[in-house]
Every structure is written in C-alpha cells, then in structure tokens.
Amino acid sequence: LPHLIFHWAAFANLSTDRQVGMGLGPVPWTAIDRYAERHGIDDPDEYDRFVRLIRALDRAFLEWHADKKD
C-alpha cells in the first residue's frame, strides 16, 4: 500500500544492520531507533507504530528465511 512505502524502504535499509553468523538475527533495536531519529520520527505514537511495523516485517522475513532453509 502507498502509505507503507516509507516503512518498506526503511525495513530494506535496516536489514543491512542485522547480525549474520550461524544464522540471521533480527534487526537491532538500536538501528531502528537511529533510523527513526534520522527521519524525524519523534512523536511517541508514530515512533511506536514505526517500531511495531519494522518488527512485524522482520519477524515475517525471519520466518520466511527459516522455512526456506528447511
């Protein structure tokens, strides 16, 4: 949806900060927080929504990746 383009792009950018070792790790909260600050997301409700959306995308991505490995 058009109103989620910013969040999708943010997730794509934030995915480059995830830990990779024995497996993929989640996007670190510090990276999400820095991204929000850089993009002026300072309203508490908007910030919480941003974090929830990024975390939801991240969970879906990690589940998809785990299923792909099996």
Side-chain angles (χ1 to χ4, degrees):
L1 299 172
H3 68 280
L4 296 175
I5 290 172
F6 171 78
H7 297 87
W8 184 252
F11 174 69
N13 288 322
L14 287 164
S15 286
T16 65
D17 273 358
R18 75 175 66 250
Q19 296 288 323
V20 178
M22 296 299 288
L24 288 179
V27 172
W29 176 84
T30 53
I32 298 170
D33 187 58
R34 278 192 323 265
Y35 196 94
E37 183 178 353
R38 169 74 55 131
H39 291 278
I41 302 172
D42 52 9
D43 175 74
D45 292 333
E46 187 180 344
Y47 177 83
D48 288 343
R49 180 176 184 269
F50 178 74
V51 172
R52 281 194 318 272
L53 284 169
I54 296 300
R55 288 287 184 221
L57 287 166
D58 200 31
R59 274 191 306 278
F61 175 78
L62 291 172
E63 288 172 9
W64 173 82
H65 192 270
D67 289 346
K68 186 177 152 187
K69 279 180 62 176
D70 293 339

